[in-house]
């Protein structure tokens, strides 16, 4: 592979490791997907910006990837610790809709969010309910191997049948006792249901026949089964949010080991993004916040500003959500797009841009190929910038260090406009901010609650223009303040004249 050796943090060993794919020709990657009972919240989306950054980095550095993301449309309970109701059943009851409707609707909404964030589609979406028979077959093997026992509530996994249960979480099984709901007859506190029998008389919309009676698979089972089916018994990287490190992924590993042998945990590397945290309560829906991407857009924040916000923190650090940080990210994005626009105007027509847009639209070429095309004519100084960017990403995806190199490239005195743009285009293959194709105008989203219509803004601006021409600066200032109060920023001397400020 090209450039700096890639190192990544492995939650399993709690160490940064050199990345060596099992098959050098194809890196295999599995990401735990969403539970489609509601819109994804911004925290969930951070997990997929992280996964996308990982995948783009691998591709940019020259590896091909097979990436699977699952859609959880059955089995995830309201508590990860094996308790509560199935989230999908609960949502169906609350909304008086069929589970299948709910799953289809929120799956589409999730995919639309990913597209708005410029997150590449996985090689395969695998849907849990399409794999129930595979799950039953897998569970039967575990049963034959003596790793399970049956209780009234279903088939349980005996965590004592695998060594080192809970290693990923950094503790042994017995320590998780407080977190696992008490089920009568469970042999060990950490044991978990891999098949959940329907309670007698229960009115479940989703249930299947199985050797253990009618019921539904446990949530952890789906990821073991689908990753095995599509990526093999041992693949390269498994990702998820840090909450999955405690229970879900420990349970996946236990199932994988029971099925494939102790050495086969499923993935060589287990990688986890830290949380988007909301200490100020800004994300909370009940306070009228903007927990979802749609909520953000309604307030006038472009989705790629949220992507930039995510990239500005390292994926293993908590990222605190605040309107200040979000505004700063939007301003930074606007500035980047504006600077790119200025360079484009200076450089004149760029023959290499059109084929890149086409490749992006048709997904016609790998990022490595696009990168090679973009970087081919670069001189030594430009290559040094690319090398610095590569070094930052290769150090466990240090995006906060990689981002300022964008600004360095845009202002690099030793490079001409076209070279600067080529460097930015190469970086953007990883950052996914669409810097070369976004117009600044399209970043100024009109907030849904904006008190003025565009035509009214134009009218006030004209009025202000007249006042200024008549040197009536007091009037001009009043009009400016009126616009600012309505969320419109006036930009004197700018051909765009004005932009909406997000109403945060
Ligand atoms: P779920 O739909 O609940 O299965 O979650 C989808 C993904 O989002 C999982 O990888 C979670 O670990 C992750 N996740 C959940 N909450 C947050 C958060 N606040 N910040 C970052 N990732 C999160
Ligand atoms: Zn999973």
């Amino acid at each position: 592979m090209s450039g700096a050796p890639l190192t990544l943090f492995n939650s399993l060993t709690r160490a940064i490791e050199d990345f060596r794919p099992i098959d050098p020709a194809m890196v295999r990657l599995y990401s735990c997907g969403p539970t489609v009972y509601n819109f994804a919240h911004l925290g969930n989306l951070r997990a997929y910006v992280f996964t996308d950054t990982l995948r783009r980095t691998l591709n940019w550095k020259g590896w091909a990837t097979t990436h699977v993301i699952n859609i959880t449309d059955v089995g995830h309970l309201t508590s990860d610790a094996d308790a509560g109701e199935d989230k999908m059943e609960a949502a169906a009851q609350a909304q008086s809709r069929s589970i299948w409707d709910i799953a289809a609707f929120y799956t589409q909404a999730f995919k639309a969010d990913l597209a708005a964030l410029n997150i590449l589609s996985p090689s395969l979406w695998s849907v849990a309910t399409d794999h129930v028979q595979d799950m039953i077959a897998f569970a039967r093997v575990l049963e034959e191997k003596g790793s399970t026992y049956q209780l009234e509530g279903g088939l349980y996994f005996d965590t004592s049948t695998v060594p080192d249960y809970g290693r990923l979480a950094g503790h042994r099984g017995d320590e998780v006792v407080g977190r696992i709901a008490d089920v009568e007859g469970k042999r060990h506190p950490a044991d978990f249901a891999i098949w959940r029998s329907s309670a007698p008389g229960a009115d479940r919309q989703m249930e299947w026949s199985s050797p253990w009676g009618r019921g539904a698979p446990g949530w952890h089972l789906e990821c073991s089964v689908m990753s095995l089916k599509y990526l093999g018994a041992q693949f390269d990287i498994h990702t998820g949010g840090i909450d999955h490190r405690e229970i879900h992924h420990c349970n996946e590993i236990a199932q994988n080991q029971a099925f494939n042998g102790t050495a086969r945990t499923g993935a060589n590397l287990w990688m986890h993004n830290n949380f988007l945290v909301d200490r100020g309560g800004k994300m909370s829906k009940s306070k009228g916040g903007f927990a979802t991407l749609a909520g953000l857009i309604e307030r006038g924040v472009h989705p790629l500003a949220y992507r930039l916000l995510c990239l500005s923190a390292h994926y293993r650090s908590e990222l605190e959500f605040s309107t200040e940080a979000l505004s700063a990210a939007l301003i930074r994005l606007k500035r980047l797009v504006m600077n790119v626009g200025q360079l484009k105007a200076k450089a004149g027509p760029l023959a290499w841009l059109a084929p890149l847009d086409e490749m992006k639209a048709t997904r016609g070429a790998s990022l490595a190929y696009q990168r090679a095309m973009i970087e081919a004519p670069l001189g030594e100084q430009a290559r040094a910038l690319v090398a610095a960017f590569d070094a930052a990403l290769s150090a466990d995806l240090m995006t906060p260090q990689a981002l300022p190199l964008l600004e360095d490239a845009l202002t690099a005195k030793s490079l001409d406009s076209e070279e600067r743009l080529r460097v930015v285009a190469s970086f953007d293959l990883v950052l996914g901010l669409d810097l070369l194709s976004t117009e600044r105008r399209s970043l100024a989203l009109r907030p849904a609650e904006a008190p003025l219509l565009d035509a009214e803004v134009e009218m006030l601006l004209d009025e202000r223009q007249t006042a200024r021409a008549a040197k009536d600066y007091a009037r001009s200032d009043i009009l400016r303040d009126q616009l600012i109060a309505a969320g419109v920023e006036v930009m004197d001397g700018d051909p765009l004249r004005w932009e909406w400020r997000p109403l945060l």
Side-chain angles (χ1 to χ4, degrees):
M1 279 318 104
S2 70
L6 177 62
T7 58
L8 296 170
F9 184 83
N10 189 354
S11 297
L12 203 53
T13 56
R14 294 285 202 275
I16 291 190
E17 297 178 357
D18 292 332
F19 177 67
R20 280 192 208 88
I22 297 165
D23 172 359
M26 179 61 71
V27 176
R28 285 166 291 155
L29 190 63
Y30 185 95
S31 301
C32 282
T35 309
V36 284
Y37 70 107
N38 203 340
F39 293 108
H41 61 62
L42 292 172
N44 299 136
L45 295 174
R46 183 182 187 201
Y48 302 100
V49 171
F50 151 62
T51 303
D52 192 51
T53 306
L54 170 64
R55 170 173 163 194
R56 283 172 179 267
T57 299
L58 290 165
N59 292 160
W60 187 82
K61 289 179 72 63
W63 281 293
T65 47
T66 301
H67 186 201
V68 177
I69 304 183
N70 66 297
I71 297 286
T72 298
D73 56 354
V74 66
H76 194 172
L77 302 192
T78 43
S79 156
D80 285 1
D82 225 14
E85 289 176 278
D86 187 306
K87 288 186 180 185
M88 298 295 301
E89 293 274 349
Q93 280 205 347
Q95 298 177 32
S96 305
R97 289 162 75 185
S98 91
I99 288 197
W100 305 99
D101 255 18
I102 288 191
F105 178 80
Y106 290 114
T107 300
Q108 264 332 103
F110 177 72
K111 289 180 180 175
D113 282 350
L114 295 201
L117 287 167
N118 213 8
I119 291 171
L120 299 174
S121 300
S123 323
L124 179 77
W125 291 105
S126 63
V127 179
T129 50
D130 291 343
H131 295 82
V132 174
Q133 295 313 318
D134 295 321
M135 292 187 228
I136 291 172
F138 186 103
R140 280 190 70 103
V141 172
L142 296 192
E143 191 177 33
E144 277 157 21
K145 291 190 171 193
S147 291
T148 63
Y149 55 95
Q150 206 168 346
L151 296 177
E152 207 180 304
L155 189 67
Y156 278 74
F157 187 91
D158 183 338
T159 51
S160 72
T161 61
V162 291
D164 255 3
Y165 175 82
R167 177 179 157 214
L168 182 68
H171 49 53
R172 298 197 60 83
D174 286 353
E175 291 174 31
V176 292
V177 62
R179 305 200 46 180
I180 307 290
D182 240 350
V183 172
E184 185 136 337
K186 245 166 65 162
R187 293 181 187 163
H188 313 95
D191 292 356
F192 55 93
I194 57 175
W195 186 266
R196 205 176 300 280
S197 306
S198 301
D203 185 21
R204 283 188 63 101
Q205 287 189 35
M206 272 187 180
E207 54 175 13
W208 292 262
S209 296
S210 83
W212 318 284
R214 286 189 75 71
W219 171 43
H220 316 298
L221 190 58
E222 70 176 78
C223 290
S224 284
V225 169
M226 295 191 289
S227 63
L228 172 67
K229 180 165 182 173
Y230 296 113
L231 299 175
Q234 193 72 9
F235 53 96
D236 295 293
I237 308 176
H238 192 125
T239 73
I242 193 130
D243 52 331
H244 288 353
R245 202 179 65 180
E246 302 304 311
I247 298 175
H248 180 50
H249 287 172
C250 290
N251 293 354
E252 272 187 61
I253 288 174
Q255 293 167 156
N256 298 341
Q257 288 179 314
F259 192 92
N260 290 311
T262 303
R264 295 189 151 175
T265 52
N268 283 355
L269 269 120
W270 293 76
M271 294 180 69
H272 297 97
N273 62 278
N274 211 323
F275 265 28
L276 177 74
V277 292
D278 177 28
R279 296 205 173 83
K282 282 286 180 188
M283 268 163 60
S284 148
K285 264 191 202 157
S286 56
K287 292 187 187 161
F290 32 95
T292 62
L293 199 62
L296 214 77
I297 295 167
E298 264 183 31
R299 279 168 172 75
V301 181
H302 195 279
L304 291 178
Y306 179 64
R307 182 175 177 112
L308 181 58
L309 176 66
C310 290
L311 295 174
S312 68
H314 186 240
Y315 76 92
R316 282 195 288 121
S317 307
E318 275 189 352
L319 171 57
E320 186 150 352
F321 187 83
S322 71
T323 49
E324 292 77 15
L326 198 56
S327 299
L330 182 60
I331 289 170
R332 189 178 188 184
L333 183 62
K334 283 182 179 172
R335 198 164 286 151
L336 287 166
V337 165
M338 200 168 70
N339 291 342
V340 166
Q342 285 162 353
L343 285 180
K344 272 164 89 177
K346 241 194 235 167
L350 299 169
W352 50 275
L353 267 184
L356 286 182
D357 284 344
E358 201 167 309
M359 282 177 219
K360 198 177 148 212
T362 59
R363 309 206 172 287
S366 72
L367 293 192
Y369 175 76
Q370 295 181 53
R371 180 183 171 195
M373 278 194 42
I374 293 168
E375 292 182 10
L378 292 185
E380 208 176 305
Q381 310 228 359
R383 284 187 191 280
L385 271 171
V386 175
F389 184 78
D390 182 22
L393 285 170
S394 300
D396 194 29
L397 312 178
M398 270 300 171
T399 52
Q401 282 172 19
L403 277 178
L405 294 167
L406 261 182
E407 277 104 359
D408 290 353
L410 284 166
T411 54
K413 295 241 161 21
S414 54
L415 308 183
D416 67 23
S417 304
E418 174 161 354
E419 255 192 323
R420 292 186 203 179
L421 287 170
R422 281 187 183 269
V423 173
V424 170
S426 174
F427 292 1
D428 205 30
L429 293 174
V430 179
L431 302 172
L433 295 169
D434 264 354
L435 294 175
L436 276 93
S437 48
T438 303
E439 298 285 326
R440 194 179 105 210
R441 174 53 102 195
S442 67
L443 295 175
L445 298 185
R446 183 174 200 282
E449 312 241 307
L452 295 178
L453 300 172
D454 289 10
E456 291 171 313
V457 177
E458 290 293 349
M459 210 178 67
L460 286 169
L461 283 173
D462 287 345
E463 217 177 293
R464 184 164 173 269
Q465 206 58 41
T466 312
R468 278 164 67 92
K471 298 203 176 356
D472 184 354
Y473 295 114
R475 174 82 188 133
S476 146
D477 285 351
I478 289 171
L479 288 164
R480 179 199 200 102
D481 290 347
Q482 205 176 324
L483 283 158
I484 287 176
V488 181
E489 194 153 20
V490 182
M491 286 178 291
D492 290 326
D494 185 306
L496 292 178
R497 300 216 303 162
W498 56 271
E499 268 184 49
W500 286 102
R501 281 180 172 185
L503 300 174
L504 296 174

